[in-house]
Amino acid sequence: APDPTTAMEAALARAVEAVGPAGQAGADAVLAWLRREFEAVDAAPPAAELEAVIREPFSPERARAVLFAPGAGHGGAARLYPRLVCSPPPGAPPEHPQARLQGLCLTLLSLVHKHDKDFVFDFVLNDGVLALAQLVSHTDLSIRARALESLISVTSSEDLDWFKAPPGPRQQRIHPHLLKVTQFDFVGELLRNADDSYPGGGFQALQIVGFYLSWLRLFYCKDNILRVSRDILGPLHAWSQRSDLVSDEQTLAKQLYDDFKRFPAEDNDDQAQRGSELLVDQRAVEDATVLAETSLAEEAKPLEGAAQTLSLRAQGNACFAEKKYEEAVELYTSAVSQIDGTSSKDEAKLFGNIAATHMELWRSTACDDAGRQFHLNKCVEFARKAALLDYSYAKARYRLAQALLELRRFDEAEEEIERGREVATNGTEIRSFSALARQLDFARKDSPERRKELMEIYSAILSRYGQAPSRQLTSAAQKVTPEGEETSGGDGAEEEVKRDEDLSKDMVNESREKMDVPRLKSPSLRLSNLAARARPEIAEQLGAISEEQFISLFGNNLDEPTLTAVVEAADSLLPGQPSQAFLLLDRLARVERFELVLMFLPQKVHDRLASTFAILRSALVGEADRVRQVALKYQ
């Protein structure tokens, strides 16, 4: 580990370099203050304050390292800074530990750590932009200045390259974290700096407005048209008409107004009436969110409220991402206990997180039947709590309906699906509830009726290839009446059902053996062992054949394991080979029985498909319409 005193001196040297040489106006006083501040922290590091905010043990040595050398490998200290720079809870006394840490860490961030590209990248991945965004109109102008200066550095970073098109893997990781500032009136807060800011603060805020609006328009607006509300255009216009500004600031204000006034939000637009600042392509925003490393990251509230709650929630999200689900439940539960009861939506989000975690535990192969039942019931319990606290919480209703469906509580599941459709606000949510409704409709059918459907399918397949259905198959299908009731009863009914199940499995194998389906004449690529092959190998071999050979290979034999294997093979090509991945998925959608088999895929495969197409839309910008058309076939 580096010597702490050396780390302090190195940090001070970078801060001095950022302020400018001595002798400049005001520089001497700032440099003297920085030296006193850094030396005081080095002599008595705020270990107790760090423990209170981060909820981790801190020795004086670790405290010095986190503050002065966070990029030197000291436990990934960049992940801590978003919590360290946020404000104390409302009404907190001046001596609150967060108050001392906020000013100190903002100084270190704005003068020292912004030069460390690895630190900045990790800071963004841990929602550092969201933390800074909520300080851009802070009443303390010194805090506001350091937040805006840090945002200028982050948004202009050549290493992050925010405007790279199409976004590369690095950009795909950071975009969802910048999109989170749409959770509140970010642009509106920046515009407050027009009349009430420190010297130069208005110009800095205007630069960030220009960056943010241009970035949204390029990546997350249909046809690159960003509709801006009049609550933003009005202040921009007033800003551009001011005569007391430096020329650069006035020119930028006029350019922004002239650029974005072309497509104002309509007065009768529902979103505009709700006060939303920007009308962006919600589908594109959702697709980008899929790429976030933590599947629960989009549910994190802006960094407000008690620092303890934020710390526990963030730790829970990290455990969820690492599949440490038991620990995540404990952390989310502890976070609930820290809420004072004044924010029902915060509490609802935490209950929703707990429900999602129990759903993942239910999916775990390590669980026995009793454990899986327990986690489903817990998912129902906490998802219902979340929905009661926030009626419009669509994700909680989806998880509740999903768990009820797995528990075969069909009537309750149907009620929640209908409520979910009422509160769904975008296409993804609507399609999710529609898909769940189809699953419910199929699951409600009695098992004899389902067997009858399957037997009729296999009978049709045999007939198509000139093979008459066997007498056994025909008679087995006839044992089910149109109402789905078996003709026999009593003690023999259960055995007959078992025989029918075995028969249906046998007939699947029999039909595949009898059918003379054209196959590729390559001994290295056979449908029978395709699902067992390594995914990159599947991708390579399927990509080397023509479309006609591809479709002939599958013939009428596509099943769930094979379809899943091809989806995973396409996914294995990303992000490096998006065109080849899209080619596989496009051809697969043209194979016979594709739509039928798609209905039976488990949810985790549908989730993988959603993530894959989100990456493809970002990577294949020039073929966006074609990608969307193929993606619709997988929904």
Side-chain angles (χ1 to χ4, degrees):
D3 179 76
T5 303
T6 304
M8 187 277 289
E9 292 291 349
L12 181 60
R14 300 199 80 167
V16 168
E17 182 182 350
V19 171
Q24 290 186 354
D28 290 344
V30 173
L31 293 174
W33 175 83
L34 281 174
R35 177 166 288 280
R36 289 195 304 272
E37 183 75 6
F38 281 27
E39 288 178 347
V41 170
D42 190 50
E49 288 87 345
L50 285 166
E51 285 190 357
V53 172
I54 302 300
R55 295 286 178 157
E56 295 178 9
F58 276 84
S59 64
E61 291 75 18
R62 188 189 176 202
R64 292 189 187 97
V66 165
L67 295 173
F68 295 124
H74 292 280
R79 67 182 173 84
L80 306 179
Y81 266 72
R83 281 176 276 166
L84 297 175
V85 301
C86 69
S87 298
E95 62 272 15
H96 191 282
Q98 187 83 50
R100 181 188 178 191
L101 292 174
Q102 182 184 39
L104 174 60
C105 292
L106 278 171
T107 298
L108 288 164
L109 175 63
S110 61
L111 294 178
V112 180
H113 304 322
K114 68 179 184 180
H115 301 290
D116 184 339
K117 63 181 183 180
D118 293 329
F119 174 93
V120 171
F121 183 66
D122 288 343
F123 178 75
V124 172
L125 287 183
N126 285 275
D127 290 334
V129 173
L130 184 61
L132 293 173
Q134 294 178 81
L135 305 176
V136 298
S137 61
H138 199 283
T139 54
D140 186 330
L141 292 184
S142 67
I143 288 178
R144 187 191 304 191
R146 284 172 280 182
L148 284 171
E149 177 63 34
S150 299
L151 277 173
I152 288 285
S153 297
V154 170
T155 55
S156 60
S157 168
E158 293 182 2
D159 181 65
L160 297 181
D161 197 4
W162 291 97
F163 285 94
K164 181 177 181 179
R170 196 171 179 85
Q171 287 70 37
Q172 290 170 2
R173 294 180 66 190
I174 61 177
H175 276 209
H177 297 277
L178 180 54
L179 284 169
K180 288 184 183 182
V181 302
T182 59
Q183 296 176 24
F184 71 106
D185 188 11
F186 177 48
V187 175
E189 295 299 309
L190 286 168
L191 292 176
R192 290 190 181 188
N193 287 272
D195 301 309
D196 177 26
S197 193
Y198 56 91
F203 187 36
Q204 286 185 321
L206 200 58
Q207 288 175 284
I208 298 171
V209 169
F211 159 82
Y212 181 60
L213 296 183
S214 301
W215 178 80
L216 275 180
R217 178 172 61 185
L218 177 61
F219 293 106
Y220 301 106
C221 293
K222 187 175 182 180
D223 300 323
N224 298 126
I225 295 176
L226 175 61
R227 297 194 177 277
V228 180
S229 74
R230 301 184 190 281
D231 290 339
I232 291 176
L233 289 176
L236 274 178
H237 181 252
W239 205 329
S240 69
Q241 298 301 306
R242 288 174 53 179
S243 59
D244 59 333
L245 305 176
V246 297
S247 60
D248 287 346
E249 184 175 346
Q250 187 177 42
T251 300
L252 178 58
K254 189 175 188 309
Q255 287 175 342
L256 290 175
Y257 174 70
D258 290 342
D259 190 6
F260 290 100
K261 73 178 182 180
R262 297 174 298 161
F263 302 104
E266 299 294 336
D267 291 334
N268 61 352
D269 191 285
D270 290 340
Q271 270 190 287
Q273 290 175 2
R274 291 202 301 270
S276 293
E277 55 170 64
L278 304 166
L279 303 187
V280 300
D281 185 349
Q282 190 61 35
R283 175 67 176 273
V285 172
E286 292 156 6
D287 291 344
T289 305
V290 170
L291 300 177
E293 291 183 300
T294 304
S295 60
L296 290 177
E298 77 275 13
E299 295 188 357
K301 283 287 289 180
L303 299 177
E304 55 190 14
Q308 294 175 356
T309 302
L310 293 169
S311 173
L312 292 168
R313 182 187 299 165
Q315 291 178 57
N317 288 352
C319 287
F320 187 98
E322 296 171 5
K323 300 186 179 181
K324 299 176 181 177
Y325 299 125
E326 298 284 1
E327 295 178 37
V329 169
E330 293 179 7
L331 288 163
Y332 290 139
T333 304
S334 298
V336 171
S337 68
Q338 298 288 345
I339 293 179
D340 58 8
T342 59
S343 178
S344 59
K345 288 201 172 184
D346 279 355
E347 194 171 6
K349 294 290 186 184
L350 285 167
F351 283 141
N353 288 1
I354 295 173
T357 310
H358 278 294
M359 182 61 77
E360 292 302 320
L361 285 166
W362 166 75
R363 292 190 177 108
S364 172
T365 56
C367 277
D368 57 17
D369 290 342
R372 289 165 63 83
Q373 186 83 2
F374 168 81
H375 289 302
L376 278 179
N377 286 327
K378 282 294 181 182
C379 182
V380 169
E381 175 188 344
F382 285 100
R384 201 183 294 281
K385 285 182 179 180
L388 287 172
L389 286 170
D390 183 0
Y391 186 86
S392 63
Y393 191 2
K395 289 183 180 178
R397 295 204 176 275
Y398 179 83
R399 291 173 187 135
L400 176 55
Q402 194 176 30
L404 290 169
L405 176 58
E406 294 295 340
L407 289 168
R408 302 188 69 79
R409 291 157 61 175
F410 297 144
D411 291 342
E412 294 175 77
E414 183 177 25
E415 291 177 6
E416 292 305 325
I417 290 172
E418 291 306 313
R419 292 190 182 113
R421 282 172 161 167
E422 291 175 9
V423 302
T425 57
N426 57 65
T428 297
E429 290 177 353
I430 292 169
R431 287 190 295 274
S432 296
F433 281 109
S434 297
L436 205 56
R438 290 194 296 271
Q439 293 177 35
L440 172 63
D441 183 59
F442 192 82
R444 259 182 163 155
K445 297 178 180 179
D446 292 334
S447 56
E449 183 177 347
R450 293 176 69 181
R451 286 196 304 278
K452 180 174 182 290
E453 283 186 314
L454 290 174
M455 291 175 184
E456 288 175 347
I457 290 171
Y458 291 126
S459 176
I461 292 172
L462 288 173
S463 299
R464 175 171 182 170
Y465 287 92
Q467 301 288 341
S470 68
R471 184 187 58 79
Q472 285 181 305
L473 180 61
T474 306
S475 61
Q478 291 173 346
K479 289 179 182 177
V480 183
T481 67
E483 290 75 22
E485 297 179 355
E486 298 184 13
T487 56
S488 60
D491 296 335
E494 187 173 334
E495 294 181 6
E496 190 168 300
V497 170
K498 180 65 169 61
R499 286 196 303 271
D500 286 350
E501 290 174 344
D502 294 339
L503 177 61
S504 65
K505 293 177 183 178
D506 292 340
M507 294 312 301
V508 175
N509 296 328
E510 178 185 344
S511 65
R512 288 177 178 165
E513 291 172 1
K514 289 183 177 181
M515 282 188 283
D516 183 20
V517 181
R519 295 178 182 271
L520 186 68
K521 296 180 180 180
S522 169
S524 62
L525 187 61
R526 296 178 180 174
L527 194 60
S528 58
N529 65 354
L530 186 67
R533 287 176 174 266
R535 298 321 184 226
E537 182 183 355
I538 296 174
E540 179 182 0
Q541 295 190 354
L542 288 180
I545 62 178
S546 68
E547 179 177 344
E548 181 179 359
Q549 289 174 316
F550 186 103
I551 295 174
S552 297
L553 171 69
F554 292 94
N556 213 336
N557 288 324
L558 186 64
D559 56 15
E560 295 94 324
T562 307
L563 195 153
T564 300
V566 179
V567 169
E568 292 173 349
D571 189 65
S572 71
L573 295 171
L574 297 174
Q577 300 173 276
S579 297
Q580 291 88 330
F582 177 66
L583 179 67
L584 290 185
L585 294 174
D586 186 16
R587 289 179 174 179
L588 182 61
R590 304 179 192 186
V591 173
E592 290 189 47
R593 299 188 73 243
F594 166 79
E595 294 181 355
L596 175 66
V597 176
L598 188 69
M599 293 175 56
F600 294 89
L601 290 182
Q603 185 60 40
K604 64 180 181 181
V605 181
H606 286 285
D607 293 342
R608 180 187 288 270
L609 282 164
S611 175
T612 299
F613 277 107
I615 296 173
L616 290 175
R617 276 189 285 271
S618 298
L620 302 176
V621 177
E623 299 182 76
D625 290 338
R626 189 173 165 216
V627 172
R628 289 187 186 280
Q629 290 173 4
V630 175
L632 288 173
K633 298 178 182 179
Y634 284 83
Q635 294 174 355

